[in-house]
Amino acid sequence: AADTRPPPHPDPRREAWLSTDSFSSQWISAWPSRRDALSALEFGEIFTTYLGVESPAARPLAGRPIPVTGVRAGRSTCDAHGHNVGLAVLKGRAHADCHDAIAARVLGDTLRAGIPGSTEPRYLFANVLPPHVPSQPNTAGQHGGGRAGGGQRIIPDACFRLAFPAAAEAPAALAPTASSPTLFDVKTIHAGGGTYLSAAARTHRCGAVAQRARSVDTDYQRKARHLDAEPAVRRHNGGSTTAVLGTLRALGNVRALVFGQYGEASADVHSLLRAAAKSAAASAGRQSGAPSGALSRLTALFAAQLRRAWGVTAVREMARHRLARIPLIGATRGTRLAQVFAPLAYAAAWDITPTPHAPPGVHASQA
């Protein structure tokens, strides 16, 4: 009889087997429309990543050095699966582009579904922060989105007004009420990193994205406390040492929209999809005069459409992230032009127009 048991940890095939969810396989049956199109290179990376086998682009370069910059300056070595090149700290916008394209798709679809809100709501903390706050070191790591890890402000990726399931770790007093403002932050994690090596990732399905999601609200609280400790912020708030943290806590837990290397997503992504599908179905039902009994079918239709769009976007952007960095393998630390122009050359060769992040302050049409 065939052995159907998963490979032992840390075999990349086991990592892939434990990580995939309903988003991860959407590319398999996606009709190659303009929205869901994949280039030949992208398809190869997505296919092999899904199976947990070696990357077609990275395998021929295995063993070659990767020039690492910043505080981790030195050399890393390319592996056949392409994990190290995805984790390396390199110049360029590969991490930001991956995050921004996924965020634009998810947050934009949510707004278009009729859920009121805005992206990058800079106004939320305006009353407790002075116009100029001294900069702080960025401690958020290189794989995140949002603006909670450093700089001068707390700027979540989105704020939506909706009824959302309470966070598992939230006290009862912080459980959201119907249609309450809820903060969301988009994060991306890449294969081979510490999150994928955690105990949760080794033993639970989609444990890596769940592990990353659990730290997002804590990161925001830490940033709020750092800002509260700034003398300029204390003066602005009449000596209060908890003004920023209090404003953050009044909005409830920051919800984590985490996407992983395999296209998998955290629990809050699945909850947001259901909320968006219900909102889109209700709007479509009102416009068409559909009977109430048809709403469940409309909701299922919109959920399937959103799941496909978000799933294909996630795996494609993860593939593009890796492919944009492949030209840097073997380059010396002095090859600055290669680090700057490699992603641009890849985009031009495959006629890719990066999807911009939704502009800050863009509100849904609903009041």
Side-chain angles (χ1 to χ4, degrees):
D3 186 358
T4 59
R5 292 174 300 175
H9 191 80
D11 191 310
R13 294 171 297 171
R14 179 184 176 86
E15 182 176 290
W17 182 79
L18 277 173
S19 297
T20 51
D21 67 0
S22 58
F23 287 111
S24 305
S25 59
Q26 291 300 311
W27 61 274
I28 297 175
S29 58
W31 186 258
S33 62
R34 180 175 180 82
R35 184 196 68 186
D36 299 330
L38 301 173
S39 72
L41 281 178
E42 291 164 356
F43 186 88
E45 292 302 312
I46 293 169
F47 192 12
T48 53
T49 298
Y50 181 76
L51 298 176
V53 296
E54 296 176 350
S55 157
R59 181 176 55 203
L61 304 173
R64 294 191 182 183
I66 305 169
V68 179
T69 62
V71 295
R72 301 177 184 177
R75 285 185 179 272
S76 178
T77 301
C78 177
D79 62 291
H81 290 82
H83 292 178
N84 289 345
V85 74
L87 295 170
V89 180
L90 302 172
K91 288 187 178 294
R93 282 188 48 85
H95 284 311
D97 288 343
C98 180
H99 164 272
D100 290 354
I102 294 173
R105 168 55 60 191
V106 173
L107 304 181
D109 282 350
T110 302
L111 291 172
R112 286 186 288 272
I115 293 180
S118 62
T119 58
E120 296 190 6
R122 300 171 183 269
Y123 55 86
L124 292 175
F125 298 87
N127 62 326
V128 293
L129 290 175
H132 302 288
V133 184
S135 297
Q136 299 181 23
N138 190 343
T139 58
Q142 79 259 30
H143 302 311
R147 311 296 189 270
Q152 302 179 347
R153 301 288 169 188
I154 296 181
I155 308 174
D157 282 312
C159 178
F160 295 130
R161 181 176 288 276
L162 76 172
F164 208 72
E169 67 278 10
L174 294 180
T177 57
S179 298
S180 60
T182 304
L183 304 184
F184 292 87
D185 198 54
V186 179
K187 299 293 184 187
T188 56
I189 58 174
H190 298 276
T195 310
Y196 277 102
L197 299 176
S198 66
R202 292 197 303 268
T203 56
H204 295 85
R205 182 156 299 279
C206 299
V209 289
Q211 176 79 9
R212 182 65 185 92
R214 282 190 285 270
S215 66
V216 168
D217 187 65
T218 303
D219 291 343
Y220 271 80
Q221 291 185 50
R222 183 183 303 112
K223 175 60 184 294
R225 292 189 179 95
H226 288 168
L227 286 170
D228 278 325
E230 289 288 342
V233 176
R234 289 188 179 183
R235 287 194 300 269
H236 181 78
N237 294 303
S240 172
T241 59
T242 59
V244 181
L245 181 62
T247 301
L248 176 65
R249 290 291 78 205
L251 292 166
N253 289 67
V254 180
R255 311 312 291 265
L257 306 178
V258 184
F259 286 87
Q261 183 74 56
Y262 305 93
E264 80 277 22
S266 59
D268 283 340
V269 178
H270 292 269
S271 297
L272 184 62
L273 183 144
R274 288 190 291 270
K278 289 180 180 178
S279 177
S283 178
R286 287 192 300 269
Q287 294 176 11
S288 64
S292 58
L295 287 181
S296 60
R297 294 193 295 273
L298 282 172
T299 300
L301 174 63
F302 281 110
Q305 292 178 346
L306 292 173
R307 189 174 295 108
R308 174 160 297 177
W310 297 5
V312 172
T313 297
V315 296
R316 182 178 60 215
E317 295 308 321
M318 288 293 175
R320 288 179 178 179
H321 175 269
R322 179 181 295 164
L323 291 168
R325 293 174 143 226
I326 288 295
L328 305 180
I329 298 173
T332 64
R333 288 182 59 196
T335 314
R336 303 304 182 193
L337 289 178
Q339 296 194 0
V340 172
F341 289 107
L344 300 179
Y346 164 71
W350 292 97
D351 192 26
I352 294 170
T353 302
T355 305
H357 200 347
V362 173
H363 293 257
S365 57
Q366 287 77 6

